[in-house]
Amino acid sequence: MFGRSGRGGKPSLAFIIVRCKRGFRMGESKMGKWKARLWRDRYLFLLLFPGLLYYIVYKYIPMLGSVIAFQKYSPFLGFFDSPWVGLANFERIFEDAEVVRVLWNTLLLSFLQIVFAFPVPILLALMLNELRNKLYKRLIQSLVYLPHFLSWVVVIGIVTIFLRSEGMVNHVLSSLGIQPIPFLNDPDYFMPLVVLEVIWKESGWGTVIFLAALAGVNPHLYEAAIVDGANRWRQIWHITLPALRSTIVILFILRLGTVLDSGFEQIFLMLNPFNMEVGNVLDTYVYFKGIQQGDYSFAAAVGLFKGVVGLVLVVIANRLAKRFGEEGLY
Amino acid sequence: MHHRTLPDRVVDILNAAVLAVIAFTMLFPFIYIFAVSFSSLSAFSQSDLILWPEKWVTDAYEYILESEAFIRSLYVTAFVTVAGTFVNLTVTSMMAYALSRPITGGRMFQFMVLFTFLFTPGMIPTYLIVKATGLIDSVWSLILPAAVNSFNLIVMRQFFLNIPNELNEAAVIDGANDLQIFFRIILPLSKPALAAFGLFYAVSHWNNYFAGLLYLNDPAKWPIQVVLRQIVVVGEPTATLGGQHLLENPPPPETVQMAAILLATLPILIIYPFLQKHFAKGVMLGSIKG
């Protein structure tokens, strides 16, 4: 729509002249160049300030605040006066049987999500892409995108209503002569339910990025393939899927960076005393330990461990992607 | 478009049918919940599967909408959604514009933003900072710690980069400073984009459960999602909503739960068509690497 981008566009002569005049008026020659630039940008800094303050206060100070992982933090003593304990909290992570089990739950869940939930949007996008009737395609899209905009409380609420012992599913099962199944309390159902919920809620929305990539495919490629005698499956295999490859790789790298994230809201809402053993993950564990029990330092150590592992995984995955000739994340 | 063989057509029909089934699973829970929420106790207990209310009973809705706890949480969430979205749009657009200009130190500021994608401070240090800034048990704890979404910031910056530079040059020649350019020229031009980002921010505020759980201990300040969890997931509709004893024929808890889910989802369903208009564009904008 616009011919030139804001940065790429060359400034016109008049623009340069005005800028220069203003520069002289500010006394650019007297002040250092650095100072002059800061003065030139003063209104931009004014615009930047609230956002910068947000990042410093709610992102970067908490990052520094992670030092409490190396302390025995006490709310009364604060960040500065709490005693230092070195790596003691981190040693506890691997000595504590509960943490090891929680770590295992987290990894198992992520593995299941990557195997079962990650490919679904790709498949769904391929299916939507094959639809010839535009109106039908848009109707299906509006329906499958919808759950993304529901809150996790609503989604888990729906699941609860359908699957609880006196819920609709068990009503139907019992009318078929099948014993009621305690879906919500039986630990065996926990992980499959969590994965299915994610598939139900996010798969439709997940197609958007793949469909955007497919919208950029040159239709001549398909025509040429047809002339060469490629049937539909070969067109998908040789044109459609390669068009999605770099998007899949980037999303996969991002996904690897979050293997220790389980989606706090969803898991927390699904947990109950019966499934705690298999369902407690790092995110919820940090909440129970830190916020509920007040063991701030240990919970912060678990959180920091999680964050650092995530960072390292993204960097490694990005290197690997680049080695295999993909564009990568950065 | 092109020549289709018979097996090809069979695949087409099969594909369309499978997609129809998938799409129906997205719709079905709402049909059921809608039908039950308007049903009477007898209709609910006699039938396994209600897909349309036999006769329309609005007891559950009347009970909920008279509950002080529910109405209060709606007010809290409405305030957080409106004020929060205003803060989001103001802070995000100002920062995005500043970063779209050749500002001194721009690369460093951009790195500051991008790094938060790779590494986020944990729940505990963030909680302690929210506490230190005095926001525990204040509704502002649902607004300020979520003032900027990095993804939205980057997409918005990309949007500002696409505005032709000539506008800026012309304004500079006319003697406008960067503040005037932003508020008088750039913002009015960006109304449709701001509307789109506003919708996304508003949905995230309406749906937020985590911040309420973490930062608000006082039930009088709970947002709708926290109250909804008590009603449906914890399964305490009457204890949460109260006032049951005042009624002669209290509605069954099941219908109350379903009515609560629908009421809490209604605003999302209402703005969904507007969201749809915008979101494909937004995501595509974001997929362009800046």
Side-chain angles (χ1 to χ4, degrees):
Chain A
M1 171 161 145
F2 302 122
R4 290 153 66 167
S5 78
R7 279 203 162 184
K10 281 186 209 147
S12 64
L13 190 60
F15 176 75
I16 294 170
I17 292 168
V18 170
R19 275 283 188 200
C20 285
K21 272 189 186 162
R22 292 179 128 202
F24 285 125
R25 230 188 5 252
M26 310 306 174
E28 193 168 349
S29 50
K30 286 177 203 160
M31 284 193 283
K33 202 185 164 200
W34 176 252
K35 264 187 178 170
R37 287 181 63 194
L38 287 183
W39 181 250
R40 184 199 69 193
D41 290 345
R42 64 194 183 283
Y43 291 117
L44 288 177
F45 279 116
L46 218 56
L47 290 173
L48 183 71
F49 181 71
L52 196 60
L53 192 69
Y54 162 77
Y55 274 94
I56 291 171
V57 172
Y58 290 113
K59 296 286 178 190
Y60 282 87
I61 291 180
M63 277 185 210
L64 294 177
S66 297
V67 294
I68 67 165
F70 304 96
Q71 293 178 329
K72 190 176 181 327
Y73 176 79
S74 141
F76 305 105
L77 297 173
F79 293 104
F80 300 107
D81 295 323
S82 292
W84 295 88
V85 294
L87 293 174
N89 290 316
F90 292 91
E91 281 161 21
R92 244 177 91 192
I93 292 180
F94 297 100
E95 284 163 5
D96 193 323
E98 197 188 356
V99 189
V100 173
R101 206 195 56 239
V102 166
L103 189 60
W104 164 252
N105 291 345
T106 310
L107 289 171
L108 177 65
L109 181 61
S110 264
F111 175 77
L112 293 174
Q113 300 276 27
I114 289 174
V115 171
F116 293 104
F118 185 80
V120 177
I122 304 169
L123 282 173
L124 205 55
L126 290 178
M127 289 170 75
L128 283 168
N129 194 50
E130 291 300 311
L131 285 179
R132 300 284 166 241
N133 185 332
K134 288 278 169 294
L135 205 69
Y136 186 69
K137 185 176 167 186
R138 276 192 31 208
L139 175 73
I140 299 282
Q141 279 176 304
S142 350
L143 286 172
V144 296
Y145 292 167
L146 180 65
H148 171 76
F149 295 97
L150 304 176
S151 72
W152 271 114
V153 178
V154 166
V155 173
I156 306 298
I158 291 172
V159 170
T160 308
I161 281 172
F162 274 76
L163 294 184
R164 60 187 167 194
S165 52
E166 69 277 23
M168 193 210 90
V169 172
N170 274 320
H171 262 287
V172 172
L173 285 180
S174 71
S175 66
L176 295 172
I178 301 169
Q179 284 291 309
I181 301 169
F183 294 103
L184 299 173
N185 295 341
D186 187 337
D188 290 344
Y189 284 97
F190 186 84
M191 295 260 172
L193 270 179
V194 168
V195 175
L196 279 173
E197 284 160 10
V198 167
I199 291 177
W200 185 79
K201 189 173 189 293
E202 301 298 343
S203 293
W205 179 248
T207 63
V208 173
I209 194 161
F210 294 112
L211 290 174
L214 289 179
V217 176
N218 188 342
H220 292 309
L221 287 175
Y222 290 106
E223 285 161 27
I226 293 163
V227 172
D228 287 346
N231 65 23
R232 189 179 213 153
W233 306 108
R234 295 199 133 241
Q235 288 172 37
I236 292 177
W237 184 252
H238 291 292
I239 302 170
T240 313
L241 272 177
L244 294 181
R245 195 179 61 196
S246 66
T247 308
I248 295 174
V249 169
I250 288 176
L251 289 183
F252 191 72
I253 296 172
L254 284 171
R255 186 67 188 81
L256 280 184
T258 59
V259 282
L260 296 185
D261 291 319
S262 314
F264 176 88
E265 288 193 359
Q266 182 196 9
I267 305 289
F268 182 79
L269 291 162
M270 289 280 292
L271 281 178
N272 60 43
F274 306 102
N275 58 28
M276 191 60 88
E277 180 102 5
V278 299
N280 203 2
V281 291
L282 282 176
D283 288 322
T284 48
Y285 182 76
V286 169
Y287 175 80
F288 292 132
K289 266 286 179 225
I291 308 291
Q292 286 195 341
Q293 295 172 28
D295 195 348
Y296 292 117
S297 278
F298 182 55
V302 175
L304 185 60
F305 166 76
K306 208 191 92 176
V308 171
V309 169
L311 178 63
V312 170
L313 283 174
V314 173
V315 172
I316 292 175
N318 198 50
R319 287 244 172 101
L320 280 176
K322 281 194 168 162
R323 178 160 301 173
F324 288 109
E326 294 293 340
E327 225 184 312
L329 204 58
Y330 51 85
Chain B
M1 186 163 100
H2 32 252
H3 182 70
R4 327 230 73 186
T5 56
L6 184 65
D8 241 16
R9 279 204 204 123
V10 173
V11 170
D12 268 338
I13 291 166
L14 221 69
N15 184 35
V18 171
L19 282 170
V21 172
I22 292 171
F24 184 70
T25 66
M26 314 284 160
L27 204 57
F28 175 71
F30 288 99
I31 297 174
Y32 175 75
I33 288 173
F34 178 82
V36 174
S37 73
F38 281 106
S39 295
S40 62
L41 176 61
S42 58
F44 176 70
S45 51
Q46 279 163 16
S47 167
D48 293 335
L49 189 58
I50 304 172
L51 293 178
W52 196 250
E54 228 171 87
K55 57 175 200 253
W56 295 77
V57 180
T58 54
D59 287 0
Y61 289 92
E62 280 164 27
Y63 168 56
I64 291 176
L65 291 175
E66 266 164 33
S67 156
E68 203 191 319
F70 195 84
I71 298 298
R72 201 169 44 206
S73 74
L74 278 181
Y75 272 123
V76 169
T77 304
F79 172 77
V80 168
T81 303
V82 172
T85 305
F86 179 76
V87 170
N88 290 143
L89 286 180
T90 312
V91 179
T92 311
S93 64
M94 281 165 50
M95 190 179 191
Y97 179 70
L99 292 180
S100 77
R101 304 300 306 163
I103 185 176
T104 312
R107 292 188 69 85
M108 183 189 75
F109 297 129
Q110 274 173 52
F111 178 79
M112 266 183 85
V113 172
L114 291 174
F115 186 69
T116 59
F117 279 115
L118 301 180
F119 184 83
T120 44
M123 180 193 299
I124 302 299
T126 309
Y127 173 83
L128 292 174
I129 291 302
V130 171
K131 204 171 168 185
T133 47
L135 295 185
I136 297 293
D137 267 336
S138 153
V139 288
W140 289 96
S141 67
L142 310 188
I143 295 172
L144 296 180
V148 181
N149 174 307
S150 295
F151 181 78
N152 287 350
L153 178 75
I154 288 165
V155 178
M156 214 189 271
R157 174 181 166 269
Q158 194 65 39
F159 172 82
F160 288 136
L161 280 176
N162 286 333
I163 293 177
N165 206 26
E166 283 83 351
L167 275 176
N168 197 299
E169 291 168 11
V172 169
I173 290 167
D174 288 345
N177 64 41
D178 286 315
L179 278 185
Q180 291 165 327
I181 294 173
F182 177 67
F183 286 108
R184 298 237 182 106
I185 299 171
I186 303 295
L187 272 193
L189 264 179
S190 314
K191 269 183 204 152
L194 287 178
F197 286 107
L199 285 175
F200 277 91
Y201 272 130
V203 170
S204 75
H205 282 298
W206 188 271
N207 283 343
N208 190 317
Y209 164 71
F210 178 66
L213 171 80
L214 209 54
Y215 304 133
L216 301 176
N217 306 313
D218 178 3
K221 287 172 181 144
W222 278 352
I224 184 74
Q225 301 297 337
V226 177
V227 170
L228 189 64
R229 177 197 175 229
Q230 296 296 321
I231 297 174
V232 186
V233 182
V234 180
E236 290 172 345
T238 42
T240 312
L241 295 168
Q244 182 101 4
H245 56 277
L246 300 175
L247 299 173
E248 232 173 90
N249 294 311
E254 287 83 359
T255 65
V256 171
Q257 290 176 328
M258 303 204 193
I261 285 190
L262 278 189
L263 284 176
T265 317
L266 199 62
I268 302 286
L269 297 178
I270 289 172
I271 67 160
Y272 184 61
F274 300 98
L275 274 170
Q276 247 202 328
K277 216 175 80 186
H278 289 297
F279 56 47
K281 224 173 16 184
V283 170
M284 270 193 255
L285 214 63
S287 63
I288 300 162
K289 281 185 140 192

